[in-house]
mmCIF file of all heavy atoms in Angstrom:
data_model
loop_
_atom_site.group_PDB
_atom_site.id
_atom_site.type_symbol
_atom_site.label_atom_id
_atom_site.label_comp_id
_atom_site.label_asym_id
_atom_site.label_seq_id
_atom_site.Cartn_x
_atom_site.Cartn_y
_atom_site.Cartn_z
ATOM 1 N N ALA A 1 0.851 -1.179 0.002
ATOM 2 C CA ALA A 1 -0.075 -0.045 0.041
ATOM 3 C C ALA A 1 0.856 1.303 0.080
ATOM 4 O O ALA A 1 0.559 2.187 -0.724
ATOM 5 C CB ALA A 1 -0.965 0.008 1.203
ATOM 6 N N VAL A 2 1.881 1.300 0.871
ATOM 7 C CA VAL A 2 2.720 2.429 0.977
ATOM 8 C C VAL A 2 3.669 2.628 -0.125
ATOM 9 O O VAL A 2 3.996 3.806 -0.509
ATOM 10 C CB VAL A 2 3.417 2.457 2.381
ATOM 11 C CG1 VAL A 2 4.355 3.544 2.581
ATOM 12 C CG2 VAL A 2 2.330 2.518 3.533
ATOM 13 N N ARG A 3 4.322 1.490 -0.540
ATOM 14 C CA ARG A 3 5.392 1.621 -1.468
ATOM 15 C C ARG A 3 4.995 1.442 -2.959
ATOM 16 O O ARG A 3 5.708 1.822 -3.798
ATOM 17 C CB ARG A 3 6.449 0.583 -1.207
ATOM 18 C CG ARG A 3 7.323 0.813 0.095
ATOM 19 C CD ARG A 3 8.450 -0.109 0.193
ATOM 20 N NE ARG A 3 9.496 0.461 1.069
ATOM 21 C CZ ARG A 3 10.706 0.323 0.866
ATOM 22 N NH1 ARG A 3 11.192 -0.312 -0.243
ATOM 23 N NH2 ARG A 3 11.654 0.872 1.696
ATOM 24 N N VAL A 4 3.811 0.948 -3.257
ATOM 25 C CA VAL A 4 3.367 0.820 -4.583
ATOM 26 C C VAL A 4 2.096 1.599 -4.867
ATOM 27 O O VAL A 4 2.133 2.426 -5.775
ATOM 28 C CB VAL A 4 3.118 -0.773 -4.848
ATOM 29 C CG1 VAL A 4 2.545 -0.962 -6.305
ATOM 30 C CG2 VAL A 4 4.338 -1.500 -4.678
ATOM 31 N N ALA A 5 1.014 1.404 -4.131
ATOM 32 C CA ALA A 5 -0.266 2.043 -4.438
ATOM 33 C C ALA A 5 -0.150 3.572 -4.270
ATOM 34 O O ALA A 5 -0.566 4.314 -5.132
ATOM 35 C CB ALA A 5 -1.369 1.355 -3.626
ATOM 36 N N ALA A 6 0.298 4.012 -3.090
ATOM 37 C CA ALA A 6 0.325 5.358 -2.746
ATOM 38 C C ALA A 6 1.139 6.201 -3.755
ATOM 39 O O ALA A 6 0.666 7.219 -4.200
ATOM 40 C CB ALA A 6 0.747 5.698 -1.304
ATOM 41 N N PRO A 7 2.340 5.791 -4.136
ATOM 42 C CA PRO A 7 3.125 6.541 -5.076
ATOM 43 C C PRO A 7 2.394 6.546 -6.436
ATOM 44 O O PRO A 7 2.420 7.535 -7.134
ATOM 45 C CB PRO A 7 4.473 5.846 -5.131
ATOM 46 C CG PRO A 7 4.645 5.162 -3.839
ATOM 47 C CD PRO A 7 3.203 4.744 -3.499
ATOM 48 N N ALA A 8 1.844 5.364 -6.889
ATOM 49 C CA ALA A 8 1.136 5.369 -8.145
ATOM 50 C C ALA A 8 0.065 6.367 -8.205
ATOM 51 O O ALA A 8 -0.115 7.031 -9.272
ATOM 52 C CB ALA A 8 0.616 3.945 -8.372
ATOM 53 N N LEU A 9 -0.702 6.577 -7.142
ATOM 54 C CA LEU A 9 -1.829 7.505 -7.108
ATOM 55 C C LEU A 9 -1.309 8.932 -7.213
ATOM 56 O O LEU A 9 -2.065 9.905 -7.672
ATOM 57 C CB LEU A 9 -2.675 7.305 -5.929
ATOM 58 C CG LEU A 9 -3.926 6.444 -6.099
ATOM 59 C CD1 LEU A 9 -4.918 7.150 -6.980
ATOM 60 C CD2 LEU A 9 -3.562 5.127 -6.762
ATOM 61 N N ILE A 10 -0.126 9.268 -6.733
ATOM 62 C CA ILE A 10 0.471 10.610 -6.812
ATOM 63 C C ILE A 10 0.506 10.919 -8.338
ATOM 64 O O ILE A 10 0.219 12.150 -8.704
ATOM 65 C CB ILE A 10 1.828 10.657 -6.243
ATOM 66 C CG1 ILE A 10 1.642 10.497 -4.642
ATOM 67 C CG2 ILE A 10 2.541 11.988 -6.643
ATOM 68 C CD1 ILE A 10 2.959 10.345 -4.031
ATOM 69 N N GLY A 11 0.857 10.030 -9.135
ATOM 70 C CA GLY A 11 0.960 10.305 -10.614
ATOM 71 C C GLY A 11 -0.368 10.604 -11.345
ATOM 72 O O GLY A 11 -0.461 11.177 -12.424
ATOM 73 N N VAL A 12 -1.516 10.285 -10.598
ATOM 74 C CA VAL A 12 -2.842 10.606 -11.231
ATOM 75 C C VAL A 12 -3.521 11.727 -10.539
ATOM 76 O O VAL A 12 -4.057 12.649 -11.148
ATOM 77 C CB VAL A 12 -3.716 9.334 -11.013
ATOM 78 C CG1 VAL A 12 -5.190 9.592 -11.577
ATOM 79 C CG2 VAL A 12 -3.101 8.129 -11.766
ATOM 80 N N TYR A 13 -3.491 11.731 -9.170
ATOM 81 C CA TYR A 13 -4.273 12.716 -8.427
ATOM 82 C C TYR A 13 -3.396 13.779 -7.692
ATOM 83 O O TYR A 13 -3.931 14.800 -7.286
ATOM 84 C CB TYR A 13 -5.082 12.010 -7.215
ATOM 85 C CG TYR A 13 -6.250 11.247 -7.810
ATOM 86 C CD1 TYR A 13 -6.326 9.971 -8.123
ATOM 87 C CD2 TYR A 13 -7.562 11.964 -7.915
ATOM 88 C CE1 TYR A 13 -7.420 9.320 -8.696
ATOM 89 C CE2 TYR A 13 -8.674 11.353 -8.378
ATOM 90 C CZ TYR A 13 -8.620 10.004 -8.752
ATOM 91 O OH TYR A 13 -9.688 9.335 -9.277
ATOM 92 N N ALA A 14 -2.072 13.515 -7.794
ATOM 93 C CA ALA A 14 -1.197 14.469 -6.984
ATOM 94 C C ALA A 14 -1.675 14.615 -5.561
ATOM 95 O O ALA A 14 -1.517 15.608 -4.891
ATOM 96 C CB ALA A 14 -1.081 15.941 -7.561
ATOM 97 N N GLY A 15 -2.234 13.483 -4.994
ATOM 98 C CA GLY A 15 -2.882 13.497 -3.724
ATOM 99 C C GLY A 15 -2.571 12.302 -2.896
ATOM 100 O O GLY A 15 -1.831 11.369 -3.304
ATOM 101 N N ASP A 16 -3.071 12.271 -1.695
ATOM 102 C CA ASP A 16 -2.706 11.344 -0.684
ATOM 103 C C ASP A 16 -3.638 10.147 -0.705
ATOM 104 O O ASP A 16 -4.858 10.270 -0.469
ATOM 105 C CB ASP A 16 -2.830 12.091 0.797
ATOM 106 C CG ASP A 16 -2.276 11.142 1.868
ATOM 107 O OD1 ASP A 16 -2.133 9.966 1.664
ATOM 108 O OD2 ASP A 16 -2.232 11.790 2.959
ATOM 109 N N ALA A 17 -3.117 8.945 -0.984
ATOM 110 C CA ALA A 17 -3.961 7.809 -1.180
ATOM 111 C C ALA A 17 -4.527 7.386 0.180
ATOM 112 O O ALA A 17 -5.445 6.619 0.166
ATOM 113 C CB ALA A 17 -3.155 6.687 -1.728
ATOM 114 N N ALA A 18 -4.089 7.893 1.295
ATOM 115 C CA ALA A 18 -4.569 7.611 2.537
ATOM 116 C C ALA A 18 -5.913 8.380 2.784
ATOM 117 O O ALA A 18 -6.694 8.109 3.684
ATOM 118 C CB ALA A 18 -3.605 7.905 3.627
ATOM 119 N N LYS A 19 -6.221 9.371 1.879
ATOM 120 C CA LYS A 19 -7.415 10.216 2.050
ATOM 121 C C LYS A 19 -8.408 9.980 0.913
ATOM 122 O O LYS A 19 -9.522 10.460 0.990
ATOM 123 C CB LYS A 19 -7.061 11.623 2.175
ATOM 124 C CG LYS A 19 -6.123 11.952 3.390
ATOM 125 C CD LYS A 19 -5.769 13.423 3.391
ATOM 126 C CE LYS A 19 -5.019 13.772 4.688
ATOM 127 N NZ LYS A 19 -4.571 15.187 4.698
ATOM 128 N N LEU A 20 -7.917 9.377 -0.200
ATOM 129 C CA LEU A 20 -8.719 9.152 -1.347
ATOM 130 C C LEU A 20 -9.584 7.911 -1.200
ATOM 131 O O LEU A 20 -9.092 6.884 -0.745
ATOM 132 C CB LEU A 20 -7.919 9.094 -2.572
ATOM 133 C CG LEU A 20 -7.084 10.288 -2.938
ATOM 134 C CD1 LEU A 20 -6.131 10.040 -4.155
ATOM 135 C CD2 LEU A 20 -7.983 11.412 -3.224
ATOM 136 N N SER A 21 -10.841 7.907 -1.551
ATOM 137 C CA SER A 21 -11.746 6.855 -1.591
ATOM 138 C C SER A 21 -11.484 5.872 -2.694
ATOM 139 O O SER A 21 -11.417 6.199 -3.891
ATOM 140 C CB SER A 21 -13.242 7.296 -1.592
ATOM 141 O OG SER A 21 -14.056 6.351 -2.178
ATOM 142 N N VAL A 22 -11.346 4.521 -2.342
ATOM 143 C CA VAL A 22 -11.146 3.642 -3.380
ATOM 144 C C VAL A 22 -12.397 3.442 -4.335
ATOM 145 O O VAL A 22 -12.259 3.204 -5.514
ATOM 146 C CB VAL A 22 -10.798 2.234 -2.789
ATOM 147 C CG1 VAL A 22 -11.974 1.555 -1.978
ATOM 148 C CG2 VAL A 22 -10.231 1.240 -3.840
ATOM 149 N N ARG A 23 -13.588 3.589 -3.777
ATOM 150 C CA ARG A 23 -14.837 3.458 -4.628
ATOM 151 C C ARG A 23 -15.006 4.630 -5.518
ATOM 152 O O ARG A 23 -15.503 4.465 -6.609
ATOM 153 C CB ARG A 23 -16.031 3.223 -3.783
ATOM 154 C CG ARG A 23 -15.916 1.943 -2.890
ATOM 155 C CD ARG A 23 -17.319 1.489 -2.512
ATOM 156 N NE ARG A 23 -17.284 0.121 -1.990
ATOM 157 C CZ ARG A 23 -18.423 -0.620 -1.663
ATOM 158 N NH1 ARG A 23 -19.509 -0.020 -1.694
ATOM 159 N NH2 ARG A 23 -18.218 -1.833 -1.177
ATOM 160 N N ALA A 24 -14.508 5.741 -5.061
ATOM 161 C CA ALA A 24 -14.663 6.983 -5.975
ATOM 162 C C ALA A 24 -13.445 7.128 -6.865
ATOM 163 O O ALA A 24 -13.624 7.530 -8.066
ATOM 164 C CB ALA A 24 -14.837 8.221 -5.072
ATOM 165 N N ALA A 25 -12.255 6.936 -6.370
ATOM 166 C CA ALA A 25 -11.001 7.241 -7.111
ATOM 167 C C ALA A 25 -10.633 6.082 -8.114
ATOM 168 O O ALA A 25 -10.047 6.246 -9.088
ATOM 169 C CB ALA A 25 -9.932 7.639 -6.231
ATOM 170 N N LEU A 26 -10.868 4.799 -7.583
ATOM 171 C CA LEU A 26 -10.511 3.616 -8.306
ATOM 172 C C LEU A 26 -11.663 2.686 -8.314
ATOM 173 O O LEU A 26 -11.622 1.562 -7.823
ATOM 174 C CB LEU A 26 -9.288 2.978 -7.626
ATOM 175 C CG LEU A 26 -7.987 3.675 -7.696
ATOM 176 C CD1 LEU A 26 -6.863 2.888 -6.969
ATOM 177 C CD2 LEU A 26 -7.534 3.973 -9.122
ATOM 178 N N PRO A 27 -12.777 3.038 -8.945
ATOM 179 C CA PRO A 27 -13.966 2.197 -8.952
ATOM 180 C C PRO A 27 -13.833 0.868 -9.578
ATOM 181 O O PRO A 27 -14.427 -0.138 -9.169
ATOM 182 C CB PRO A 27 -15.004 3.056 -9.674
ATOM 183 C CG PRO A 27 -14.197 4.012 -10.553
ATOM 184 C CD PRO A 27 -12.936 4.291 -9.749
ATOM 185 N N ARG A 28 -12.889 0.728 -10.581
ATOM 186 C CA ARG A 28 -12.755 -0.536 -11.256
ATOM 187 C C ARG A 28 -12.028 -1.552 -10.298
ATOM 188 O O ARG A 28 -12.325 -2.678 -10.281
ATOM 189 C CB ARG A 28 -11.875 -0.395 -12.497
ATOM 190 C CG ARG A 28 -12.641 0.445 -13.646
ATOM 191 C CD ARG A 28 -11.725 0.650 -14.830
ATOM 192 N NE ARG A 28 -12.362 1.455 -15.834
ATOM 193 C CZ ARG A 28 -12.315 2.803 -15.749
ATOM 194 N NH1 ARG A 28 -11.746 3.444 -14.786
ATOM 195 N NH2 ARG A 28 -12.905 3.529 -16.723
ATOM 196 N N LEU A 29 -11.085 -1.001 -9.397
ATOM 197 C CA LEU A 29 -10.413 -1.914 -8.537
ATOM 198 C C LEU A 29 -11.352 -2.391 -7.472
ATOM 199 O O LEU A 29 -11.422 -3.574 -7.138
ATOM 200 C CB LEU A 29 -9.288 -1.075 -7.809
ATOM 201 C CG LEU A 29 -8.266 -1.943 -7.133
ATOM 202 C CD1 LEU A 29 -7.469 -2.804 -8.063
ATOM 203 C CD2 LEU A 29 -7.356 -0.989 -6.324
ATOM 204 N N ALA A 30 -12.266 -1.481 -6.968
ATOM 205 C CA ALA A 30 -13.203 -1.875 -5.953
ATOM 206 C C ALA A 30 -14.239 -2.903 -6.622
ATOM 207 O O ALA A 30 -14.607 -3.881 -5.898
ATOM 208 C CB ALA A 30 -13.995 -0.625 -5.539
#
């Protein structure tokens, strides 16, 4: 989560994956 998912989300949202909703931000994954 910390070393793979969170950095990857920076490239999309420039935001903190600990605050982004998986259902809203990554609905396909959910």
Side-chain angles (χ1 to χ4, degrees):
V2 173
R3 288 189 158 219
V4 179
L9 264 291
I10 290 173
V12 179
Y13 285 92
D16 187 349
K19 298 179 179 177
L20 297 175
S21 156
V22 68
R23 293 198 170 186
L26 293 178
R28 294 176 185 83
L29 195 65

